[in-house]
Amino acid sequence: MSTGITTTTQSTSVATRRSTPRTDPIRTGPIDTVTSTAAVAPTTRRAARAADEAAARNCASGRSFKAGSVKRGIVSVGALTLVAGLMGTMAIPAFAQTASPVAGSSVDASTSALSSELSTGSQSATVASGVTAASTSRDSYTATAPVVAAPVVQTATTSTASTLTDTQATAATAERASFAASTAYTGKTAADYLASPAHPAFSLAAVYQTALQYVGTPYVFGGATPSGFDCSGFVMYVYAQYGISLAHSVPAQSAAGTIISQADAEPGDIVVLNDGSHDGFYAGNGMILDAPKPGGAVSVRPLWTSDVHFVRLGIK
């Protein structure tokens, strides 16, 4: 029975198909074989150890050095050198401080001498023979002491300097008599004014104005008249004109009045140095009116020290 389908038998057998060579649709030539040259890792411990020894021999011979390795080596050497230098620098002061002088050397002798000086406290200095001492002078003030003889307790080695001996009192009296005879002053003395005061009405302002009249009077040691004043003679002469008797002595004049503060002091009060060496009239505003020193004259000038106290007279 016919189905109407015609069957075509393939004439090419399987064996024939397998024997036909295959062609590459893209490449027409033979494919090259690639041979790998990569090193194969050792597969055993012995092989690995042998490889490490070979690498070390190559490094020692310099065949495997690289630029990075050389640089790291140089930096390491430089760092070690710097650290060694710093440690040496820090150690030097310690060595210098703890070094001991060699016995018998000049350093040892100097050290011993210094220790001796420090322990005994004695010092000495050597001055060249050509050096000469310069002359010096001290600006000082003088004051006359009262001509009063008083008993003095003396020992073989000490004496009381604040009280005159009989010999000193006699000498002071003779000096004042000689001064009075040598001057041409014929006016009133302090004793004359005490007997008949020129200014019965007392006031500090009036005392100061009277004292100003004698500005320019020369300083004369022991002087108590307008021909020449010393410091206490000037104060004594002015206050005598108001009937107030004072001794010719700075300490005695200080003790004759009442000590007041500088804030309460007025022109006409007395300024007294605390050491009893000088006095004068307070002129206000930190000034003094006084007979200063040999070669000077009565004047108004600033107080040169704060070591003073102020005394008020004439007011009880």
Side-chain angles (χ1 to χ4, degrees):
M1 182 175 173
S2 175
T3 61
I5 300 174
T6 303
T7 300
T8 305
T9 303
Q10 292 180 349
S11 59
T12 305
S13 66
V14 175
T16 303
R17 217 173 31 245
R18 288 178 178 175
S19 62
T20 304
R22 183 179 177 180
T23 59
D24 190 342
I26 298 175
R27 297 178 61 93
T28 58
I31 297 174
D32 296 333
T33 301
V34 179
T35 302
S36 176
T37 60
V40 180
T43 56
T44 64
R45 291 183 178 179
R46 180 175 296 176
R49 187 163 54 251
D52 291 340
E53 292 176 355
R57 286 193 299 271
N58 291 336
C59 181
S61 62
R63 287 178 295 186
S64 61
F65 275 4
K66 296 181 180 180
S69 299
V70 174
K71 292 182 179 179
R72 285 194 296 272
I74 294 175
V75 171
S76 299
V77 173
L80 290 175
T81 303
L82 178 60
V83 171
L86 291 176
M87 293 180 65
T89 302
M90 291 185 291
I92 289 174
F95 293 150
Q97 184 175 7
T98 58
S100 299
V102 179
S105 64
S106 58
V107 176
D108 181 51
S110 299
T111 304
S112 301
L114 178 59
S115 300
S116 176
E117 295 292 345
L118 292 176
S119 61
T120 60
S122 62
Q123 296 182 0
S124 61
T126 302
V127 181
S129 58
V131 176
T132 58
S135 59
T136 59
S137 61
R138 180 179 179 180
D139 189 5
S140 60
Y141 296 88
T142 58
T144 54
V147 185
V148 178
V152 179
V153 177
Q154 294 182 337
T155 64
T157 57
T158 61
S159 63
T160 303
S162 60
T163 307
L164 293 177
T165 63
D166 293 339
T167 302
Q168 291 171 329
T170 301
T173 302
E175 182 178 0
R176 290 184 182 179
S178 175
F179 166 76
S182 64
T183 62
Y185 179 73
T186 58
K188 290 184 177 182
T189 63
D192 294 334
Y193 281 122
L194 289 175
S196 179
H199 309 286
F202 175 86
S203 71
L204 290 173
V207 168
Y208 182 70
Q209 291 301 318
T210 299
L212 282 175
Q213 297 176 8
Y214 301 102
V215 170
T217 301
Y219 178 94
V220 175
F221 177 75
T225 67
S227 61
F229 290 119
D230 63 13
C231 62
S232 58
F234 178 38
V235 174
M236 180 186 72
Y237 187 81
V238 171
Y239 268 97
Q241 297 182 44
Y242 291 86
I244 298 175
S245 177
L246 294 174
H248 197 167
S249 163
V250 173
Q253 292 176 0
S254 176
T258 302
I259 296 178
I260 59 175
S261 67
Q262 183 173 359
D264 295 332
E266 300 177 12
D269 286 324
I270 300 177
V271 184
V272 184
L273 269 65
N274 289 337
D275 63 0
S277 63
H278 189 70
D279 68 354
F281 295 95
Y282 184 56
N285 299 320
M287 308 288 282
I288 186 174
L289 168 61
D290 65 337
K293 59 184 178 180
V298 173
S299 61
V300 178
R301 58 196 180 118
L303 269 171
W304 61 94
T305 177
S306 59
D307 191 20
V308 298
H309 60 277
F310 299 83
V311 176
R312 179 162 293 173
L313 298 170
I315 300 177
K316 303 296 184 182

